[in-house]
Amino acid sequence: MVNRLQFYIDGAWVDPVVKKTTPVVNPATEEAMYDIALGSKADVDKAVAAAKRAFETFSQTTREERIALLEKIIAVYKTRMSDIGASVSDEMGAPLPMAEKLQAGAGLGHLVATLDVLKTYKFDEAHNAAMITKEPIGVVGMITPWNWPLNQIACKVAPALAAGCTMLLKPSEYTPTSALIFAEILHEAGVPKGVFNLVNGLGPDVGVAMSEHPDIDMISFTGSTRAGIDVAKRAANTVKRVSQELGGKSPNVILDGADFVKAVTGGVAHMFNNSGQSCNAPSRMIVPQAKMKEIAAIAKAQADKTKAGDPRADGTVIGPVVNRGQWDKIQGLIQKGIEEGATLVAGGPGLPEGVNKGFYVRPTIFADVTENMTIAREEIFGPVLVIMGSKDEADALRIANDTPYGLAGYVSADTVENARKFGRRIRAGNVNLQGAPNDRTAPFGGYKQSGNGREWGKHGLEDFLEVKAIAGYNVA
């Protein structure tokens, strides 16, 4: 049984200081499945104290010791993949095969990629008479979202462990079980007590206590830009490092001469993956204005193939969105798109055909969307694609960069060289050319209001390191 009514602190499962719970609702059925404990500042204080004690010894472990630890974590993780997939599917609605392969698989991928980085990373480098050494930053507070729960947990915890940091994790209250299983994995793998701690809770309680805590040296936050701003403000008084991966409204630019069928079909499928609940989703498809009708028809054909339904049923492509609040927000934005004059190509408001309960959203596409429309500006975070027309490549670039966000960008062109030229001019932390997927060894993070940190690979490890210069080190 997963310890949903306890927290993992100092190597043991413990009761909350104050007993308070909240139900976890299955978004496919709208029914409560079980309760989880909610933490308070007192629980945060206990966990941070344990992490601070553990840092004294864990920060001094060798590379080889941390390599062995990650190898053991990976071995145990592989035995729990189906458990993780099932919990993610039940709690946030991902189709079960996708949850097992991609959701649980993403966590494993980050553990493996971090292990590879750790094996060869240079923590010490000579610089004239000085030694430049990189050391663990200290106690890290981690706040993670519900949309890719194990992806975000693993891409923080793995490099923090590799760096020699200790930590406190607050996962989303909507997807707590996969995080609790992850704590069980780390316990079984022999992570020393106090190195990893987990407290469930709400942002205004546990998240605030973590952001303001004087003994937390760094906050690693993934979530909305609104919440990220609040975390940064609260962290400022203690001058702790704040690394953030926030929202997005990413452009998918399809240039004249590109293979429209391949680019549009792939773009729509990517947008609808995970029910559109990805911060780097290619949500603004920018196309030649003269080809708008042709491209809208291709997009509609793909949308019509995208079946929204029970995450446990065969043939389901997308499940529900995570909760009632998200469903209401998405419905309001779809209605806004209709009212503001966008052309509804597929989907629309309400539940999909044949569905009478659950937080399901019809796979929706709008064409003829202009820059001043709400659906072109706001992050919808659901299976809703907007198609925008551009006069020429210069206009496409202007539209692509006309956003407060800068997490990702996508480019399809007639040649790779033309895609490269255009991609270099997109103001975003990640740009994907010609349908290429992300590389877990390359950095992931955003420009502008999409954040200021970098996760994944070598850059993800360096987010958890301090740089020290030791003058005279190399003088005989």
Side-chain angles (χ1 to χ4, degrees), residues 35 53 186 225 263 289 315 317 379 406 409:
D35 287 345
R53 287 193 301 271
L186 267 57
T225 298
Q289 183 64 54
V317 178
E379 184 178 32

Side-chain angles (χ1 to χ4, degrees), residues 252-269 285-302 385 387-388 390 393 411-415 434:
N252 181 9
V253 182
I254 301 176
L255 299 174
D256 225 345
D259 182 334
F260 285 163
V261 172
K262 179 181 177 183
V264 174
T265 300
V268 173
M285 186 177 284
I286 301 167
V287 306
Q289 183 64 54
K291 304 294 176 64
M292 177 66 73
K293 288 187 178 179
E294 175 187 346
I295 285 170
I298 298 169
K300 175 177 166 48
Q302 181 63 27
L385 173 68
I387 307 178
M388 309 174 72
S390 61
E393 287 194 12
V411 184
S412 296
D414 53 346
T415 67
Q434 307 290 72

Side-chain angles (χ1 to χ4, degrees), residues 304-316:
D304 290 343
K305 296 177 186 175
T306 305
K307 180 185 176 185
D310 184 348
R312 298 291 181 120
D314 291 340
T316 294

Side-chain angles (χ1 to χ4, degrees), residues 32 62-63 80 157 179 191 218 246 314 339 349 398-399 410 413-414:
T62 65
R63 179 202 307 267
R80 304 296 302 272
V157 173
V191 173
M218 172 183 173
L246 308 174
D314 291 340
E339 292 170 0
R398 182 189 60 77
I399 295 169
Y410 303 81
D414 53 346

Side-chain angles (χ1 to χ4, degrees), residues 67-134:
I67 286 172
L69 184 60
L70 279 172
E71 288 175 339
K72 181 62 175 174
I73 291 168
I74 289 166
V76 178
Y77 189 102
K78 288 177 179 177
T79 70
R80 304 296 302 272
M81 292 275 284
S82 61
D83 295 337
I84 292 168
S87 71
V88 171
S89 181
D90 286 345
E91 292 180 351
M92 62 80 62
L96 185 59
M98 180 268 194
E100 291 181 349
K101 182 180 179 181
L102 299 184
Q103 292 273 5
L108 179 62
H110 287 302
L111 288 165
V112 171
T114 301
L115 174 61
D116 288 343
V117 171
L118 178 58
K119 288 177 178 178
T120 59
Y121 187 78
K122 292 183 179 180
F123 288 93
D124 293 322
E125 291 187 79
H127 181 79
N128 299 326
M131 176 64 75
I132 310 300
T133 187
K134 295 173 183 175

Side-chain angles (χ1 to χ4, degrees), residues 52-62 65 164 166 192-193 195:
K52 188 176 180 181
R53 287 193 301 271
F55 182 74
E56 293 183 15
T57 51
F58 191 68
S59 62
Q60 301 306 306
T61 53
T62 65
E65 287 172 321
T166 59
K193 70 176 189 176
V195 169

